[in-house]
Amino acid sequence: MTPRPVRVLTALLIATAAATVVVEVLNFWYAPDHGVSFAVRTAWALARTLGWLVLISQVRRARATAKPLGLILGMTTLFAVGRLIVPSAGRPPLPGLIGFGVLTLLCLTVVVLLYRHPTVDAHLTHQPRRPVLTRDGLSFREAPPGDPWVLTARLASFSFSPLMLVPALIAAGTLRHHLEWTLAVIFWILAGIAVSYVALMSAFFVGRGSHRARMTLTWVTLLVLAFHLPLCLILLGLDGLIRDGSPLVVAAGLTLYALRRSAHPPARATTSPASA
């Protein structure tokens, strides 16, 4: 039977997904301008709702990836919805602020339950039994536990691509005023797509303990920041840098921190034969 805290967490995840949609509908209703940037950001925020549904499935199936996925979803959802609430001019509407406050409380509660509740932690660290073909036939063995920091680095680096593509598509809608930046925007979009493949391959070999893959992912993270942030400032202004640069800075920081922690895992206590 599923433990009660896990059932409570699942209910909170459903409420968070629903609250995300409600806040986005409120933002759309009260927004004074429905331009290209607003449409792209709204579509991206709605797409994040699917991520909460995936997280619900991960929790129910006791996957260790639920922890980093919940952390990254909570972080990026608040950024994605928060930048929709603040208009380009004037004050944000009160219903949107109230909805964002409720969404913030839900996201924080979800992250605390995922990382701090012992029952949820025990549920998510349980390793499923996988089929293994042996000489005696098909048997089931417990899967080896994965490094949580490696999982965090993987998922955080996977978010680079959408976090780059959203402002790149917004910038593409403003090219009529910046034709000289057409090639830069095209390269921005292509780089956003290419980063997903590089991050995928690097993260795969990081999970295998490859030092070279860890260094590659570190340099890719730094290069993404060096390329993405100036373009946000030049083409989208200071407002775009805050709205679209900040989420990538947080995701990159989380990736670098996770890579550092995975490179220096905590020492495990061992029992000597003499003390046994």
Side-chain angles (χ1 to χ4, degrees):
M1 184 178 179
T2 304
R4 182 178 180 182
V6 177
R7 297 198 302 269
V8 172
L9 175 60
T10 303
L12 284 174
L13 292 175
I14 296 173
T16 304
T20 303
V21 176
V22 170
V23 174
E24 289 158 8
V25 171
L26 288 174
N27 291 333
F28 184 83
W29 183 267
Y30 285 99
D33 181 24
H34 294 159
V36 175
S37 62
F38 184 84
V40 173
R41 286 174 175 142
T42 300
W44 165 236
L46 284 173
R48 304 210 56 76
T49 307
L50 299 177
W52 290 103
L53 300 180
V54 173
L55 179 57
I56 293 171
S57 174
Q58 295 287 296
V59 170
R60 287 179 173 176
R61 299 170 64 185
R63 300 299 190 190
T65 51
K67 283 187 176 182
L69 179 58
L71 176 61
I72 295 166
L73 269 178
M75 172 192 69
T76 54
T77 295
L78 292 180
F79 273 109
V81 177
R83 60 190 174 190
L84 289 175
I85 292 177
V86 181
S88 56
R91 297 181 178 179
L94 182 59
L97 286 176
I98 295 175
F100 182 73
V102 173
L103 183 61
T104 301
L105 181 61
L106 287 171
C107 288
L108 290 177
T109 305
V110 165
V111 172
V112 170
L113 283 177
L114 283 171
Y115 279 88
R116 305 300 298 176
H117 200 287
T119 303
V120 174
D121 181 72
H123 174 74
L124 296 179
T125 54
H126 172 70
Q127 300 298 321
R129 298 178 67 84
R130 297 179 180 177
V132 178
L133 185 61
T134 64
R135 290 185 300 176
D136 299 328
L138 190 64
S139 63
F140 288 85
R141 296 178 182 174
E142 194 172 82
D147 187 343
W149 289 111
V150 171
L151 296 176
T152 302
R154 283 180 176 180
L155 293 176
S157 62
F158 291 164
S159 67
F160 291 172
S161 182
L163 291 176
M164 292 177 67
L165 288 175
V166 169
L169 293 175
I170 294 173
T174 65
L175 282 178
R176 61 182 181 275
H177 304 297
H178 306 280
L179 291 177
E180 67 275 13
W181 291 96
T182 301
L183 290 179
V185 172
I186 293 174
F187 186 71
W188 196 357
I189 295 174
L190 294 177
I193 298 173
V195 162
S196 63
Y197 292 98
V198 176
L200 177 64
M201 294 301 297
S202 299
F204 173 79
F205 287 105
V206 167
R208 298 296 182 94
S210 172
H211 175 72
R212 182 174 298 179
R214 185 178 288 106
M215 291 302 299
T216 299
L217 189 54
T218 299
W219 279 108
V220 166
T221 303
L222 296 176
L223 289 175
V224 163
L225 290 176
F227 176 76
H228 178 82
L229 298 181
L231 286 178
C232 283
L233 180 61
I234 294 171
L235 294 176
L236 303 178
L238 181 60
D239 178 71
L241 178 63
I242 296 174
R243 290 172 181 258
D244 301 298
S246 300
L248 186 61
V249 170
V250 175
L254 184 59
T255 301
L256 295 175
Y257 181 75
L259 287 173
R260 181 180 178 183
R261 290 297 300 269
S262 65
H264 303 285
R268 296 182 178 179
T270 56
T271 304
S272 63
S275 60

